[in-house]
Amino acid sequence: MQGMNNETGKVIDSVSHLKQSIIDIITTPIGSRVMRRDYGCGLFSLIDSPVNATLIAGIRTSVIEALDRYEPRVKVRKVEVNSIESGVISISLEALYLLENRMFTLEDLKVEQR
């Protein structure tokens, strides 16, 4: 399966298309899309929370729930929180691409307060 690069319009392979979709889901605040107010990820409500174990668990939960809901081609295996700074959360994830039964990673994905 191929897809289209959302910046260039060129054809991209299936894993690149999946990664593009995951990035879009995770970096979209819930409530920001007209006609799809429930689309996105709850990370933005966590960005300025105190840094502790509860926040780390909330970040992981938000990412997994969003991808379970909006990206049926993927099964998340691991979400790592790389860093939490003022207004920025950096994560990496490991997941299984179900259509091709292969693992892939997304490294250092930054979610910034808008």
Side-chain angles (χ1 to χ4, degrees):
M1 181 176 139
Q2 295 178 329
M4 182 178 71
N5 183 297
N6 63 1
E7 292 179 9
T8 66
K10 294 183 178 182
V11 175
I12 55 177
D13 66 53
S14 56
V15 174
S16 296
H17 187 256
L18 178 62
K19 288 179 179 182
Q20 177 178 271
S21 175
I22 289 169
I23 291 167
D24 183 67
I25 293 165
I26 291 173
T27 60
T28 300
I30 293 174
S32 66
R33 289 263 173 106
V34 176
M35 303 298 288
R36 291 191 76 190
R37 294 291 183 194
D38 59 337
Y39 179 84
C41 186
L43 285 179
F44 295 88
S45 65
L46 302 173
I47 283 181
D48 287 327
S49 299
V51 178
N52 55 33
T54 302
L55 174 62
I56 303 299
I59 290 168
R60 289 181 175 138
T61 300
S62 292
V63 169
I64 292 168
E65 285 178 350
L67 295 178
D68 278 349
R69 184 169 188 180
Y70 295 108
E71 188 45 81
R73 300 174 291 174
V74 70
K75 178 70 175 166
V76 177
R77 297 289 187 214
K78 182 171 34 172
V79 176
E80 293 282 331
V81 179
N82 300 332
S83 66
I84 303 170
E85 298 173 13
S86 180
V88 181
I89 297 172
S90 174
I91 63 168
S92 295
L93 64 88
E94 181 179 299
L96 175 65
Y97 179 28
L98 297 172
L99 298 179
E100 295 182 4
N101 197 34
R102 70 177 186 167
M103 298 297 290
F104 69 94
T105 59
L106 259 174
E107 300 290 331
D108 201 32
L109 175 59
K110 293 192 185 327
V111 178
E112 299 182 46
Q113 191 170 21
R114 295 180 183 184

